[in-house]
Amino acid sequence: MGDSHAHHEGGHGDDHGHGHGSPFIQHHYDDAKHQFDSGKLGIWFFLTQEILFFSALFVAYILYRHHHPEIFAYASHYLDVKWGAINTAVLIVSSLSAAWAVRCAQLGQRRGLIACLVITIVCAFGFLGIKYVEYTHKVHEGILFGRKFDPCVSSGGAQLITKKNECHGTKASQCVPANIDQMPEQPGWQVACKAYEVTYQGAGAARTEVSRAELPVCNMVSTGHGPPRAENPPCWEIQSNPNVCAPDKEGPTVAALVHYGDGRVRGSTFGIDLQCEPAPEPSADGDPHADVSHGPGFGQPLVVPSTTPSAHDLKVQASMGPPPEHTNMFFSIYFAMTGLHGIHVLFGIFVFIWLLIRAIKGHFTPDYFGPIDYAALYWHLVDLIWIFLFPLLYLIH
Amino acid sequence: MKNRLLSVLALVISVAVLAGPASAQTPAAEPPAAAEPAAEPKTPNVLWLEEIEAQPWNTGGNFWLPTPAAEEADPSDFMFYAVLGLSIFFFTGVTIATVYFVIKYRARPGHKAQPSPSHNDTLEITWTVIPTIICVFLFLGGWRGYLAFTAERGGALQIDVTGQKWAWSFTYPNGTVDNNLHVPVGQPVRLRMTSTDVLHSFYVPNFRVKQDLVPRRYTYLQFTPTRPGVYRLYCTEYCGKDHSMMKVRVIVHETGGYERYLATVEERSATLPPVELGKQLYEKKGCAACHSIDGSPRVGPSWKGIWGESAKMADGSTATVDAQYIKTAIEEPNAQKRAEFAGGQMTSYAGLLSEKEIAGLIAYIESLK
Amino acid sequence: MSSQATASAEPNYFEVTKGFKSWALTLDHKRIGLMYLFGILFSLLLGGAFALLVRTELMMPGETISSADTYNKFFTLHGAVMIFLVIIPGIPAALGNIMLPIQLGAPDVAFPKLNLSSFYLWCTGAACLLLSIVMGSVDTGWTFYTPYSLDESKSGAIIPAVFGVFLLGFSSIFTGLNFLVTVHKFRPQGMGWFQMPLNLWALYATALMQVLATPVLGITVLLLFVEHTLHIGIFDPTLGGDPVLFQHFFWFYSHPAVYIMIVPAMGVVSELMTTFTRKPIFGYRFIAYSSVSLALLSFLVWGHHMFVSGQSPLANMVFSALTFTVGIPSAIKVFNWVGTLYKGDIRLQTPMLYALSFIIMFTIGGLTGLFLAILATDVHLHDTYFVVAHFHYVMMGSALVAFLGALHYWWPKFTGRMYPERLAQVCSIGVFVGFNLTFLPQFVMGSRGMPRRYWDYDPEFTIYHQLSTVGAFILGVSLFVVVCYLMVSFKKGRKAPKNPWGGTTLEWDAPSPPTLYNFPEPPVIHELYDYDDIVEDGDNGWVRKPRPAGAPPKEKH
């Protein structure tokens, strides 16, 4: 980027002979080198702005992690290191093949160029495929960003987000407002609830209730592996999650999770009505465990857990504990960063497909290979950003 | 030529240095008298308070600044006048030079550009260094003044401030809640502020203090009132429709007046009939922004004739507007939304109104048949 | 060579091809710039109309012509249109696009296709922004502060608006990138960095800021977009997000944005000062360096918009100190411009009148900035009319006035027509008087405590508001007349000579209007700002004196 570039000694009239081999040298450039250098400088500036584009998210990451390290330590367990590592490898391979493609183009090796571009594109698709698997899993579990953060929690409000678990039921839409006390010394909520299964007719304002039936409380049994299952479906268990509903409310809210055991999705004419009341004080003599033996009932404190957790569950619970407040922020940042990165990968795929078509047509020559070079630089940056994202999001301990 | 320009610059600096403090003293010296609330307990308490609250606020001051009424005003005003003097000086200098050159060297028959240097490093370095020095002094002056704002003060009266669209609420240490700010003269006041919805900003021009209120976060502001009187309190962070209506009064009481005020509020709420209390709250607590009393719908339903109505809720159920309904509507507004106002957002007043005040509002709504 | 000879030799860029398609798909930087210019002038009238609605509403306390809600929409639209559609693209994207390659003696910008895409991004962005008016209109203020802007009941208007700003941001980034590469790679032999006209220095510094700052705006409004569409919660306090973080991100862009607006204005004024005093600029290097240092320093001062937001006192101190540093290069420039007047041969044609207004108003804008950099006074003045007046002096009184000066200066070059000089001079005085009448009273109201963005105000401020409203109408009428006579002269104006002002930079060696690739034959690089051998030649404007035989060649090669 030194001092002035010697150029346009000649005129710019129609007789402006290009004097270079490729037909892709544009008119206003002096020669192939001038075009290539300009493009290269342009792509460097573009990459600079890309870094700044991502920088705000990195700053957000740093700030939130600084203020809430507990959220990050807790929530990163829900990312799968295995998939993250595979993706890192996939991207590195694609970066390598992109670099190789540049070399092939420089040497005029058309076959090699095409092969390298194909490898890059396949890897990019592979990356997005793996990302799709990860995302779907999270969508399924409700481990999403912001207001959509609505994960299943384990039986009885022990508040463990299920890991590699699936929700075996429908979530209640009804939320119970804030004036519920959680006893700090015992798991569970000092609240008494009843859950009803309601069917409706019509939609919107014209919706009317057709029938309602009270559901029994679930009797959860441990399956040894994976989550505990309900013994008596359809039945319900209470869920506590500050993010499930009414996010504008201070304090905790609860929701009901109904287990059907059949995995079917219930339609919009179907709902769960949860009615709760703050429970009376645990007992007059102040013993917080006084009511532990009772199951939840109307006007009675809800007491949990009703299942015997497996040794594995206990270990995970002990190491995890309940999710900190606003655990959703981690996933907001996770989805923002990986989502934006994914969009860049997608854009890269389009670019490489376009380059592949041009390569097949034989456009690139040792005189003219700028676009391959620029795309490869872009691709290295996308790779580099992932190399930062992987440890920052997946490897927090 | 070079020498002449240099001597002009020297003049600039010397006048600037003199002009700052000189102009700072003159206008601030004689603040015009403002109406001051009397602390003498001649009038009955309730009337006394109403009189004070009905007083016009202080609009005094000089051409540039309103009457200073807190210790914080001194460093701020000093810097203001200093920079004002400096600015006027530099502005006049630049303008005179420009106009003079334009007239003297304007193109006219027989006139030609005279040879002159295209640069002069000494001169340029001079007019780089001098502004730099001035800026350093200005920064230090402003920084010292600001430190005085933020330094912790002992024995401060702590008042909790809550901003919401579009009303203020001030909670005094004894639990009294009011929508105007009452403070004693001469005592440091520390505000602990938060917002229930969007950003607001607490601004009293006469105190020269300002601080944003941020939802779910506390911000703090300190000041020491020095001059009894009634002043304006504005919201200066844009907060929507009635942003410009979010202004109330700050009443700086003379010695003893603040205690009398607290006693009066107790007395007033004890003696006031519930309907009257409700009416006052309606006007003061920002209810009027969303609820009319003449039957016209605003953001929320009108209160006229609402009592005893059975209303359709957004979730399809029906509810009768009775005491329980109104209490819930005040404390958990979104738990029971009327179908036609489902899009409206009301913030909860739980904790901002006492049981007695809620009862007053219920009585008031019942009276609006 | 005489101007007639070149004009007839090759068709100019209007004549070279005709028809809608030849404009819509053009890669010619001049046509793209011209299309920008018309878009910007239209936006200027639109933004001006909103300004007049705002001022009319404020004629009296209480409701004058609109409800509080409508008023909030007026000032939001005024701000958003003026900043994103008028001032930011004004000098760089429109005039810079036309003049930058010509001043470099280059045939085009480095990436003509990218240039056209930037233009269409701008159009789409502008359309989205205007679409939001139909969708209920944003009322958040142009700053989109969270959490107010998270209100879901207004998503319908906010989503298209922020998406529009996102696209406008990328339009700006790509324009900047294009300019950077063009300046680096298309400077002709004989034009080193310090032989570049100061306008190019300014455009270079501006482009640097566009590329480095605007992406942060891009991601910020993108996050706001996903807040509304997906409720991601990064700025939403109810989900644990931080609304103040939005302010940091926003001002990290928007403070440099102020310099994106003002630095090209400074470049233009430097050109005008030298041409109309007929002598070299005083302190070329200081002005060039100060442009670049402003560009760099502008990234370090965003926190001064947030002194009362709850930022830590330490951060406030640092930002206050850094803010003073941007005052110094600005002061240097003013002194240098005044120094240029000294012993000149000053011609008070319209562009120069605008340049002189610029100096006066920029001085006021700059000095009042000192009040806001000082912590103790900023706490009092923050978010009052004092701030409103200050930034209007900088962004309108300076940036827009310089834009008008530049427009008049280069109008004969790129349209090939002269505008009516006498009328233009009257209008420039109208702009000056109207502007000062509008904004001087606002300083006083502000320091007396009148908060900004108020629909209703206390009666004691009435007189100031009324003066301000009267001024705004004088200003509005003047600007309207300017746009009208320019449009008329575009078709009907007197044919412009090659060099109507006696400028020495390369664009004045190109025909008016230039040919497709600007120069029929490669231009000769003369010494910068050397007025000695340019003489007036009646209707032909100014021409280069034939060099006496035997004289040593002055040109550098």
Side-chain angles (χ1 to χ4, degrees):
Chain A
M1 277 157 268
D3 244 19
S4 76
H5 180 87
H7 86 120
H8 54 264
E9 306 288 86
H12 295 289
D14 285 339
D15 58 339
H16 180 27
H18 286 299
H20 27 58
S22 174
F24 299 103
I25 305 304
Q26 289 172 41
H27 179 93
H28 61 291
Y29 293 109
D30 295 341
D31 50 31
K33 185 174 182 304
H34 189 206
Q35 170 161 338
F36 178 79
D37 288 349
S38 301
K40 190 102 173 191
L41 184 59
I43 196 74
W44 279 116
F45 280 124
F46 179 76
L47 297 184
T48 315
Q49 81 82 25
E50 282 291 322
I51 291 169
L52 282 148
F53 193 63
F54 272 94
S55 68
L57 289 177
F58 281 97
V59 169
Y61 175 95
I62 293 166
L63 278 177
Y64 286 118
R65 186 164 174 190
H66 176 73
H67 289 301
H68 300 286
E70 75 285 359
I71 291 179
F72 282 73
Y74 181 90
S76 79
H77 285 95
Y78 295 95
L79 302 183
D80 199 320
V81 179
K82 179 187 76 198
W83 285 126
I86 293 175
N87 253 350
T88 311
V90 167
L91 267 193
I92 289 174
V93 169
S94 76
S95 222
L96 189 70
S97 66
W100 209 323
V102 178
R103 173 145 182 83
C104 290
Q106 273 172 329
L107 298 176
Q109 299 166 343
R110 186 159 148 253
R111 265 167 197 285
L113 172 62
I114 292 170
C116 286
L117 288 177
V118 169
I119 294 172
T120 312
I121 293 168
V122 167
C123 286
F125 272 115
F127 178 88
L128 286 186
I130 290 170
K131 216 67 223 154
Y132 176 79
V133 170
E134 285 188 84
Y135 277 12
T136 339
H137 194 69
K138 289 190 176 51
V139 170
H140 208 81
E141 291 189 350
I143 308 183
L144 290 173
F145 41 81
R147 199 177 300 172
K148 304 238 161 70
F149 181 70
D150 182 15
C152 298
V153 294
S154 74
S155 119
Q159 301 196 37
L160 186 74
I161 300 172
T162 53
K163 191 176 181 185
K164 289 181 220 146
N165 186 11
E166 303 203 336
C167 286
H168 298 286
T170 303
K171 284 208 176 72
S173 55
Q174 207 81 1
C175 293
V176 179
N179 51 351
I180 301 167
D181 300 318
Q182 188 182 9
M183 298 299 292
E185 58 273 65
Q186 77 181 82
W189 298 87
Q190 300 305 306
V191 60
C193 300
K194 280 183 169 184
Y196 300 90
E197 191 183 287
V198 190
T199 44
Y200 299 99
Q201 215 163 31
R207 195 169 85 150
T208 49
E209 189 179 312
V210 178
S211 67
R212 71 166 47 214
E214 194 183 334
L215 290 168
V217 175
C218 285
N219 184 15
M220 304 301 287
V221 286
S222 177
T223 52
H225 272 300
R229 293 196 183 279
E231 225 180 23
N232 54 336
C235 61
W236 69 282
E237 62 168 336
I238 200 159
Q239 296 222 314
S240 62
N241 173 1
N243 301 296
V244 170
C245 46
D248 54 323
K249 286 215 178 303
E250 295 276 355
T253 53
V254 296
L257 175 66
V258 176
H259 293 260
Y260 288 98
D262 56 7
R264 262 178 53 218
V265 177
R266 262 72 192 173
S268 61
T269 58
F270 181 88
I272 303 298
D273 183 13
L274 184 65
Q275 292 183 354
C276 297
E277 284 186 353
E281 292 298 311
S283 71
D285 57 5
D287 176 7
H289 297 287
D291 288 313
V292 167
S293 57
H294 291 151
F298 206 69
Q300 293 275 309
L302 172 81
V303 176
V304 283
S306 53
T307 48
T308 327
S310 71
H312 175 76
D313 284 350
L314 283 174
K315 199 175 147 204
V316 175
Q317 280 191 26
S319 68
M320 299 291 292
E325 200 190 6
H326 298 312
T327 300
N328 60 337
M329 282 316 293
F330 175 83
F331 295 100
S332 294
I333 287 174
Y334 166 79
F335 277 99
M337 288 180 127
T338 56
L340 190 67
H341 179 260
I343 291 170
H344 278 79
V345 173
L346 196 64
F347 177 73
I349 289 179
F350 287 125
V351 171
F352 278 112
I353 289 177
W354 172 69
L355 291 177
L356 181 64
I357 293 168
R358 292 192 67 184
I360 292 169
K361 287 184 182 165
H363 287 185
F364 300 112
T365 57
D367 248 358
Y368 174 73
F369 61 96
I372 306 270
D373 200 22
Y374 313 149
L377 276 176
Y378 167 80
W379 197 248
H380 296 328
L381 181 82
V382 171
D383 188 12
L384 189 71
I385 289 172
W386 177 259
I387 289 183
F388 277 97
L389 290 184
F390 176 57
L392 285 179
L393 294 169
Y394 287 74
L395 305 177
I396 304 171
H397 287 296
Chain B
M1 182 240 51
K2 178 171 137 195
N3 287 341
R4 206 163 74 200
L5 277 178
L6 278 174
S7 62
V8 167
L9 267 170
L11 187 73
V12 168
I13 306 313
S14 52
V15 176
V17 169
L18 292 172
S23 56
Q25 283 155 12
T26 31
E30 217 181 331
E36 289 175 16
E40 282 295 299
K42 281 177 205 152
T43 42
N45 276 343
V46 173
L47 267 181
W48 165 80
L49 186 56
E50 279 172 10
E51 265 171 33
I52 289 177
E53 291 189 334
Q55 269 181 17
W57 57 68
N58 183 314
T59 57
N62 60 29
F63 180 74
W64 288 107
L65 292 168
T67 318
E71 277 177 12
E72 285 64 28
D74 296 344
S76 173
D77 290 3
F78 175 79
M79 288 312 291
F80 183 89
Y81 291 120
V83 185
L84 187 65
L86 199 70
S87 298
I88 290 175
F89 181 80
F90 273 102
F91 173 70
T92 321
V94 167
T95 309
I96 288 177
T98 306
V99 172
Y100 174 77
F101 288 157
V102 166
I103 293 170
K104 179 148 188 219
Y105 302 114
R106 74 187 184 283
R108 48 194 188 273
H111 182 264
K112 270 190 82 80
Q114 299 157 41
S116 60
S118 68
H119 67 100
N120 178 331
D121 286 344
T122 325
L123 186 62
E124 305 229 14
I125 288 165
T126 317
W127 69 36
T128 307
V129 169
I130 288 171
T132 311
I133 294 168
I134 294 175
C135 282
V136 168
F137 277 102
L138 290 179
F139 162 69
L140 290 175
W143 169 236
R144 271 182 46 200
Y146 180 75
L147 271 187
F149 288 11
T150 46
E152 282 276 342
R153 263 160 272 191
L157 167 67
Q158 177 150 327
I159 298 175
D160 277 323
V161 183
T162 308
Q164 66 182 89
K165 289 180 192 169
W166 292 278
W168 296 95
S169 120
F170 302 97
T171 310
Y172 299 93
N174 70 350
T176 303
V177 181
D178 199 348
N179 62 324
N180 283 321
L181 177 60
H182 292 259
V183 287
V185 72
Q187 192 191 349
V189 177
R190 181 175 158 89
L191 303 179
R192 185 172 70 175
M193 313 195 288
T194 189
S195 158
T196 61
D197 38 41
V198 298
L199 300 175
H200 299 284
S201 190
F202 176 101
Y203 176 40
V204 181
N206 301 74
F207 296 172
R208 319 279 192 265
V209 292
K210 188 178 284 130
Q211 177 65 53
D212 283 4
L213 284 70
V214 183
R216 299 215 169 192
R217 185 186 288 182
Y218 282 125
T219 51
Y220 298 88
L221 181 67
Q222 301 178 115
F223 54 86
T224 310
T226 51
R227 199 187 142 91
V230 180
Y231 306 100
R232 291 160 297 182
L233 192 171
Y234 290 120
C235 170
T236 48
E237 186 63 71
Y238 174 66
C239 58
K241 181 165 103 16
D242 282 342
H243 173 50
S244 62
M245 304 299 184
M246 202 169 150
K247 61 183 171 204
V248 292
R249 284 148 198 261
V250 184
I251 293 142
V252 179
H253 290 276
E254 286 187 345
T255 318
Y258 171 71
E259 289 73 18
R260 191 179 172 198
Y261 154 75
L262 290 179
T264 308
V265 173
E266 298 255 312
E267 188 183 329
R268 180 163 66 182
S269 61
T271 54
L272 214 58
V275 176
E276 282 303 305
L277 177 66
K279 185 165 188 292
Q280 279 192 2
L281 292 169
Y282 170 76
E283 286 157 2
K284 288 185 166 183
K285 292 285 177 184
C287 311
C290 302
H291 302 281
S292 75
I293 47 169
D294 58 4
S296 59
R298 291 185 189 162
V299 180
S302 172
W303 288 359
K304 187 175 171 61
I306 199 176
W307 180 262
E309 220 173 67
S310 39
K312 198 152 186 176
M313 294 294 117
D315 61 4
S317 61
T318 29
T320 308
V321 178
D322 54 12
Q324 180 57 49
Y325 175 87
I326 293 171
K327 182 169 157 58
T328 318
I330 291 170
E331 292 179 334
E332 300 155 23
N334 301 321
Q336 40 174 33
K337 274 192 176 177
R338 291 175 61 138
E340 62 270 44
F341 297 101
Q345 287 283 339
M346 174 172 160
T347 41
S348 168
Y349 278 76
L352 299 176
L353 292 171
S354 65
E355 284 302 322
K356 192 179 163 71
E357 287 171 321
I358 291 176
L361 279 169
I362 292 169
Y364 179 57
I365 292 174
E366 191 180 355
S367 75
L368 292 168
K369 288 241 166 97
Chain C
M1 69 187 102
S2 76
S3 56
Q4 291 90 338
T6 42
S8 55
E10 218 180 297
N12 66 43
Y13 75 100
F14 291 108
E15 301 161 346
V16 108
T17 45
K18 300 260 181 198
F20 174 76
K21 218 176 131 187
S22 78
W23 281 81
L25 299 177
T26 184
L27 296 180
D28 181 4
H29 67 100
K30 299 177 288 299
R31 289 191 171 193
I32 293 169
L34 202 60
M35 292 193 288
Y36 264 121
L37 184 63
F38 282 105
I40 286 163
L41 289 179
F42 169 77
S43 309
L44 175 67
L45 292 182
L46 184 71
F50 285 124
L52 291 182
L53 287 169
V54 166
R55 285 307 333 157
T56 312
E57 167 51 41
L58 293 173
M59 192 80 183
M60 305 281 177
E63 182 166 329
T64 312
I65 55 162
S66 60
S67 67
D69 253 342
T70 319
Y71 168 81
N72 292 343
K73 291 172 183 172
F74 286 163
F75 75 66
T76 301
L77 289 167
H78 165 67
V81 167
M82 283 298 199
I83 287 177
F84 295 120
L85 297 184
V86 181
I87 312 179
I88 288 181
I91 297 180
L95 296 173
N97 228 322
I98 301 175
M99 299 320 300
L100 176 125
I102 313 186
Q103 284 197 318
L104 279 174
D108 208 326
V109 291
F111 310 115
K113 285 178 195 157
L114 186 68
N115 200 15
L116 184 68
S117 332
S118 306
F119 173 68
Y120 282 114
L121 273 180
W122 186 85
C123 291
T124 320
C128 287
L129 203 56
L130 299 184
L131 176 70
S132 78
I133 300 179
V134 186
M135 302 290 288
S137 185
V138 266
D139 70 339
T140 57
W142 77 276
T143 50
F144 298 111
Y145 267 20
T146 53
Y148 186 76
S149 61
L150 298 179
D151 185 349
E152 282 163 48
S153 64
K154 290 165 187 155
S155 287
I158 291 174
I159 288 174
V162 296
F163 189 66
V165 171
F166 177 76
L167 296 180
L168 291 168
F170 271 87
S171 162
S172 179
I173 291 171
F174 290 138
T175 303
L177 192 154
N178 224 331
F179 285 6
L180 286 176
V181 176
T182 311
V183 170
H184 271 284
K185 296 290 177 193
F186 280 76
R187 269 177 300 112
Q189 207 173 45
M191 190 191 276
W193 284 97
F194 290 102
Q195 281 89 48
M196 283 202 310
L198 284 167
N199 185 45
L200 293 183
W201 270 105
L203 284 175
Y204 182 82
T206 308
L208 208 57
M209 288 185 282
Q210 285 177 307
V211 171
L212 297 180
T214 321
V216 179
L217 175 76
I219 188 68
T220 310
V221 292
L222 192 64
L223 284 173
L224 200 52
F225 180 84
V226 290
E227 289 282 0
H228 274 275
T229 49
L230 303 170
H231 308 295
I232 193 166
I234 287 189
F235 301 132
D236 187 347
T238 61
L239 294 172
D242 185 352
V244 180
L245 184 64
F246 175 87
Q247 295 180 30
H248 280 287
F249 286 171
F250 185 83
W251 289 115
F252 183 83
Y253 163 72
S254 289
H255 196 81
V258 172
Y259 293 85
I260 292 175
M261 302 179 223
I262 194 70
V263 168
M266 292 165 161
V268 163
V269 168
S270 305
E271 296 291 317
L272 298 181
M273 293 308 288
T274 145
T275 301
F276 291 92
T277 54
R278 313 221 51 73
K279 65 190 275 277
I281 193 90
F282 188 79
Y284 173 93
R285 276 182 190 245
F286 273 76
I287 294 188
Y289 284 135
S290 66
S291 284
V292 177
S293 60
L294 272 180
L296 299 177
L297 291 172
S298 72
F299 285 94
L300 307 174
V301 299
W302 78 89
H304 70 217
H305 295 266
M306 303 170 60
F307 283 158
V308 299
S309 69
Q311 193 169 251
S312 75
L314 176 70
N316 281 350
M317 181 195 79
V318 172
F319 282 121
S320 169
L322 288 169
T323 300
F324 281 105
T325 61
V326 295
I328 296 158
S330 310
I332 293 172
K333 288 196 176 206
V334 171
F335 296 143
N336 277 307
W337 292 320
V338 176
T340 307
L341 292 170
Y342 178 68
K343 290 195 173 178
D345 184 30
I346 301 168
R347 278 137 217 278
L348 294 175
Q349 280 147 316
T350 312
M352 185 59 171
L353 289 180
Y354 280 117
L356 293 171
S357 316
F358 173 95
I359 293 182
I360 307 271
M361 303 209 263
F362 182 69
T363 307
I364 297 180
L367 287 168
T368 50
L370 291 178
F371 291 84
L372 302 173
I374 295 171
L375 281 166
T377 45
D378 180 74
V379 172
H380 173 51
L381 298 171
H382 183 86
D383 271 346
T384 66
Y385 263 75
F386 193 93
V387 176
V388 176
H390 159 72
F391 72 69
H392 276 92
Y393 264 92
V394 177
M395 292 196 303
M396 186 181 180
S398 309
L400 197 72
V401 157
F403 170 73
L404 290 171
L407 189 59
H408 286 82
Y409 181 59
W410 284 313
W411 187 260
K413 177 53 60 191
F414 64 83
T415 64
R417 306 279 180 170
M418 297 301 290
Y419 58 83
E421 181 65 36
R422 187 60 61 182
L423 180 59
Q425 285 173 328
V426 172
C427 284
S428 74
I429 291 164
V431 168
F432 183 77
V433 171
F435 179 84
N436 284 294
L437 187 56
T438 310
F439 293 105
L440 275 179
Q442 295 189 1
F443 282 121
V444 183
M445 301 194 235
S447 64
R448 288 193 53 89
M450 166 84 205
R452 68 191 282 204
R453 293 176 170 175
Y454 263 32
W455 168 75
D456 182 29
Y457 52 86
D458 299 333
E460 58 167 306
F461 297 117
T462 311
I463 180 67
Y464 304 113
H465 276 294
Q466 288 178 345
L467 283 174
S468 188
T469 303
V470 171
F473 274 92
I474 297 175
L475 181 59
V477 170
S478 307
L479 286 176
F480 185 72
V481 176
V482 169
V483 173
C484 288
Y485 72 66
L486 286 179
M487 290 304 112
V488 171
S489 76
F490 185 67
K491 279 282 169 212
K492 303 205 165 139
R494 181 166 63 83
K495 283 231 182 305
K498 190 170 161 186
N499 190 354
W501 316 120
T504 59
T505 39
L506 279 182
E507 74 270 29
W508 304 110
D509 288 337
S512 306
T515 54
L516 180 59
Y517 295 108
N518 299 336
F519 297 91
E521 45 196 270
V524 180
I525 315 296
H526 299 276
E527 194 176 337
L528 189 65
Y529 305 138
D530 176 12
Y531 291 88
D532 287 347
D533 42 355
I534 298 187
V535 290
E536 239 172 333
D537 180 21
D539 281 349
N540 288 335
W542 296 69
V543 291
R544 279 193 193 280
K545 239 184 337 203
R547 192 160 293 286
K554 265 193 134 176
E555 298 87 355
K556 283 189 180 175
H557 270 287

